[in-house]
Amino acid sequence: PADAAYRAVPTKRSEGNAINDKDNNLTLLSIGGKTLGGLFAIEYLDSPIGPYKEVAVLAGLVTKGYDLFRVGAWASHIFVDKPEAAEYGKRYWGLPATVVPIDLDMP
């Protein structure tokens, strides 16, 4: 179980959100020079490492190998409030995260 919030933001395609991930065959999706970025915040009430909070900056929508049935948001920055969460994310998902204090007031 978790409480989550997502705020979608149209984002100008730029070098800042360009995806250069040839190993996973990811391609940034855009229309008219814009993609869909945003902010994702979640408070995990239960997880393999116990409760923790996470905030991710989403740089844009990506597809795997131009397959429009495999679309997801690419996180350019991930922040968590526990070192165990950062280690878990790196070990199991290959995603680096920065450990910072997070105070969420979820609706």
Side-chain angles (χ1 to χ4, degrees):
D3 291 327
Y6 173 68
R7 171 73 180 206
V9 178
T11 306
K12 184 177 178 184
R13 184 181 176 137
S14 68
E15 291 299 316
N17 62 4
I19 307 300
N20 187 5
D21 191 347
K22 304 235 184 278
D23 291 339
N24 290 310
N25 198 22
L26 298 179
T27 303
L28 182 68
L29 297 175
S30 66
I31 296 175
K34 295 210 174 193
T35 186
L36 190 61
L39 189 65
F40 178 75
I42 187 163
E43 182 174 4
Y44 291 98
L45 305 175
D46 188 25
S47 79
I49 59 156
Y52 73 96
K53 298 173 188 137
E54 177 178 334
V55 175
V57 177
L58 306 176
L61 291 180
V62 294
T63 182
K64 189 164 180 102
Y66 293 100
D67 182 349
L68 294 181
F69 292 103
R70 298 179 77 182
V71 174
W74 181 74
S76 61
H77 299 80
I78 300 171
F79 304 96
V80 294
D81 69 343
K82 289 189 175 178
E84 300 87 358
E87 175 61 31
Y88 187 87
K90 186 164 180 102
R91 186 177 339 130
Y92 290 98
W93 302 106
L95 299 172
T98 302
V99 179
V100 298
I102 299 173
D103 184 19
L104 297 175
D105 186 15
M106 302 299 276

